[in-house]
Amino acid sequence: MIVRVQENLFDAGAELNSFAKNQPSVGAIVTFTGLVRDVAGGLQGMEIEHYPGMTAKAIEAIAADAQNRWSLADVLVIHRYGTLHATDPIMMVATASKHRADAFAAADFLMDYLKSRAPFWKKETTGDGASWVAAKDDDEEALNRWS
Amino acid sequence: MDIMYFAWVRERIGLPKETVETQAATVSDLVAELVAREDRYAAAFADITALRVALDQELSDFDAPLAGVREVAFFPPMTGG
């Protein structure tokens, strides 16, 4: 398991290639990359705040849960904080497995849990001012799929 | 006990972290103590259904006991991913 919480930009392609190396029994890798979306009014910046003492531990617990539920050779989670701009990568998940079904399901699960259970908060600044991104009821309901 | 605030909770209270002396038995009791202090706490805790709490960096709930807890954090629902 590789979990990185970082301010720096990452290269999703390079991360995938590095993750895929030396995994001889792996037949499938699924990756998801989340990007900063532009919004109406023009996004001037997105500030991502996190809870440094808790963030990595919370992500590791979610990744460990995924490893218990599916047959995974490895899991990678990268999540950024700090000031980001439209089109920047925010986060990335990669799952490696013998077959694709486990890799897809685990990546889906990880995304649902990272959305609502990893301690990050987003604040968007546009021409209209700054506002915190509210959590959606749908995001909380998505977790019920896995119970 | 250290108390930490994040996102708009931090902005309403006006600080990221403080240390308090408290005999509060549960998270709800601690919230009641804070709310009684000053308007900015009352504003931040006006609707606790809009808030989440972590005890020693683990998600918890407002009924949870505080015995032995060293760090309490209050924040809005998380928006990762």
Side-chain angles (χ1 to χ4, degrees):
Chain A
M1 180 199 302
I2 307 153
V3 171
R4 290 192 350 235
V5 180
Q6 64 185 49
E7 191 160 10
N8 294 344
L9 186 69
F10 64 87
D11 177 337
E15 296 292 346
L16 165 61
N17 289 336
S18 152
F19 182 70
K21 263 188 195 156
N22 304 316
Q23 305 246 24
S25 62
V26 162
I29 291 177
V30 167
T31 72
F32 173 88
T33 307
L35 308 174
V36 180
R37 211 170 351 108
D38 205 353
V39 296
L43 186 74
Q44 292 168 1
M46 174 186 276
E47 195 70 34
I48 302 182
E49 182 172 331
H50 78 122
Y51 182 174
M54 178 175 171
T55 314
K57 280 197 291 190
I59 296 173
E60 282 159 13
I62 294 166
D65 195 358
Q67 286 176 315
N68 287 333
R69 288 166 181 252
W70 292 281
S71 173
L72 300 173
D74 208 355
V75 176
L76 165 74
V77 179
I78 301 170
H79 204 302
R80 296 177 67 197
Y81 61 89
T83 305
L84 281 69
H85 297 93
T87 75
D88 283 352
I90 302 176
M91 55 87 61
M92 174 178 180
V93 156
T95 53
S97 185
K98 203 165 181 180
H99 302 293
R100 73 178 186 279
D102 280 17
F104 270 120
D108 201 12
F109 169 90
L110 284 164
M111 285 313 306
D112 279 351
Y113 271 81
L114 290 168
K115 197 108 204 148
S116 309
R117 291 290 181 273
F120 292 97
W121 300 275
K122 297 183 181 125
K123 189 180 197 179
E124 290 175 342
T125 301
T126 68
D128 300 330
S131 60
W132 291 98
V133 175
K136 297 186 184 74
D137 291 343
D138 290 0
D139 292 338
E140 195 63 33
E141 284 158 17
L143 301 185
N144 296 332
R145 292 201 288 148
W146 308 105
S147 56
Chain B
M1 177 185 290
D2 290 334
I3 311 185
M4 303 180 74
Y5 309 106
F6 292 95
W8 56 256
V9 182
R10 171 178 55 71
E11 290 179 340
R12 282 188 199 175
I13 292 172
L15 76 176
K17 183 178 176 177
E18 62 184 323
T19 303
V20 301
E21 292 294 328
T22 178
Q23 301 300 317
T26 65
V27 175
S28 293
D29 294 345
L30 175 64
V31 169
E33 277 182 15
L34 293 169
V35 165
R37 270 197 195 170
E38 280 181 60
D39 286 349
R40 58 198 171 107
Y41 291 95
F45 291 106
D47 176 12
I48 60 165
T49 64
L51 293 179
R52 301 289 180 267
V53 60
L55 302 181
D56 289 332
Q57 305 168 356
E58 295 267 353
L59 271 183
S60 186
D61 56 65
F62 286 82
D63 299 331
L66 288 178
V69 171
R70 291 187 304 188
E71 184 174 297
V72 179
F74 294 104
F75 41 79
M78 296 163 269
T79 52

